[in-house]
Amino acid sequence: MTSKFGSTLLQYDRVSSTNDLASELAASGADEGTCVLAREQTAGRGRQGRSWSSPAGEGLYLSLILKPEIKVAWSSVITLAGAVAVAETLRFPFGLPTDIKWPNDVLVSGRKLCGILVESAIEGERLDYAVMGIGVNLGQASFPGEIADTATSLLIETGRSIPAEVFIVPLLERLEYWYRTATTNPDRVIVRWEELSSYARGCPVRIESIDGAIEGITDGLAASGALIVEIANGEKREIVSGDVRIRALGAQG
Ligand code: BTN
């Protein structure tokens, strides 16, 4: 299979959000693997309506167009594949001891170094296209306001930073590998995600959603990518990514 990811790489100095641009391109027929990279975002978005701090030249702000031939129900595995690809890139070329918080926050030293926002266009049961937006903190020496104590960067963790254009080379290679695996052999993504996450098993968590909060102990991922949590009466619940907040209880913070 020849590599598609990044064969079309559109680079911008300043955009509102690379996800917006990539969605417009996908809707007007851009090919799978097309990437949008910006030096700065003026309205970078995170999950659950949060913003994503995107100062010029300090982070990787990347969106990737995907057109997987899978049912919508399986799309969570693609999100997990993104987190696996980022975690491996930070581990092997850069030697960082990463962790993954379900579903797709990549952490180092318990702080967030990367976030992933997948936005999909759905037709019936079919996924028309998805945009995987990846934000990696590369050169920030500190963070503003409410993320000051919860975010970190490659610079803070290793004492050096690298340009986004350099970081994406190994990243795109791994993203393509894990994306193909997600569409052909999703169980391998689940196994790898579990290996890379201290949250996967035996982690006490509190899950908050509009239906209320539950506390329990994690027990791996289901084949669909849902997080399995065992609650006090022994019942196992499958938590589907979406509007849930997950918080590790106790030492893990
Ligand atoms: C999160 O953890 O809440 C997800 C953050 C995703 C941020 C990236 S940066 C590139 C792309 N464009 C956006 O507006 N968001 C994503």
Side-chain angles (χ1 to χ4, degrees), residues 49-204:
R50 287 187 288 250
S51 62
W52 184 259
S53 167
S54 311
E58 294 193 354
L60 170 95
Y61 316 119
L62 172 74
S63 297
L64 180 60
I65 296 175
L66 303 172
K67 298 192 167 175
E69 297 200 350
I70 56 166
K71 287 195 169 170
V72 176
W74 289 95
S75 57
S76 312
V77 181
I78 289 179
T79 307
L80 301 176
V84 165
V86 173
E88 285 194 345
T89 305
L90 290 166
R91 278 183 173 226
F92 302 120
F94 302 103
L96 282 178
T98 58
D99 197 357
I100 310 177
K101 182 176 173 190
W102 185 83
N104 52 10
D105 288 349
V106 181
L107 313 179
V108 176
S109 317
R111 293 176 177 228
K112 185 157 160 175
L113 198 142
C114 162
I116 300 177
L117 173 68
V118 178
E119 296 177 315
S120 308
I122 294 166
E123 276 187 19
E125 283 204 338
R126 215 178 57 82
L127 202 60
D128 192 14
Y129 62 82
V131 168
M132 182 182 285
I134 302 178
V136 182
N137 301 326
L138 295 174
Q140 291 92 332
S142 62
F143 290 89
E146 59 177 15
I147 59 168
D149 297 330
T150 55
T152 191
S153 69
L154 190 66
L155 177 68
I156 294 169
E157 296 301 325
T158 66
R160 70 187 182 109
S161 177
I162 59 161
E165 297 76 17
V166 175
F167 188 84
I168 58 167
V169 177
L171 175 63
L172 286 175
E173 211 173 282
R174 282 204 157 85
L175 278 170
E176 184 150 13
Y177 172 79
W178 282 109
Y179 169 67
R180 304 264 171 244
T181 306
T183 55
T184 52
N185 198 349
D187 288 356
R188 284 198 46 221
V189 174
I190 301 288
V191 169
R192 187 65 180 135
W193 190 100
E194 288 178 345
E195 281 168 5
L196 291 170
S197 174
S198 73
Y199 291 79
R201 282 178 205 282
C203 177

Side-chain angles (χ1 to χ4, degrees), residues 1-79:
M1 169 82 61
T2 53
S3 58
K4 262 194 193 175
F5 284 17
S7 56
T8 303
L9 174 63
L10 305 170
Q11 287 181 261
Y12 297 85
D13 208 37
R14 195 173 202 228
V15 300
S16 53
S17 156
T18 54
N19 266 30
D20 288 343
L21 226 60
S23 298
E24 284 165 23
L25 289 165
S28 53
D31 289 335
E32 175 166 89
T34 301
C35 288
V36 177
L37 182 70
R39 249 180 65 75
E40 180 182 4
Q41 297 187 116
T42 52
R45 289 199 293 282
R47 294 176 64 232
Q48 297 168 334
R50 287 187 288 250
S51 62
W52 184 259
S53 167
S54 311
E58 294 193 354
L60 170 95
Y61 316 119
L62 172 74
S63 297
L64 180 60
I65 296 175
L66 303 172
K67 298 192 167 175
E69 297 200 350
I70 56 166
K71 287 195 169 170
V72 176
W74 289 95
S75 57
S76 312
V77 181
I78 289 179
T79 307

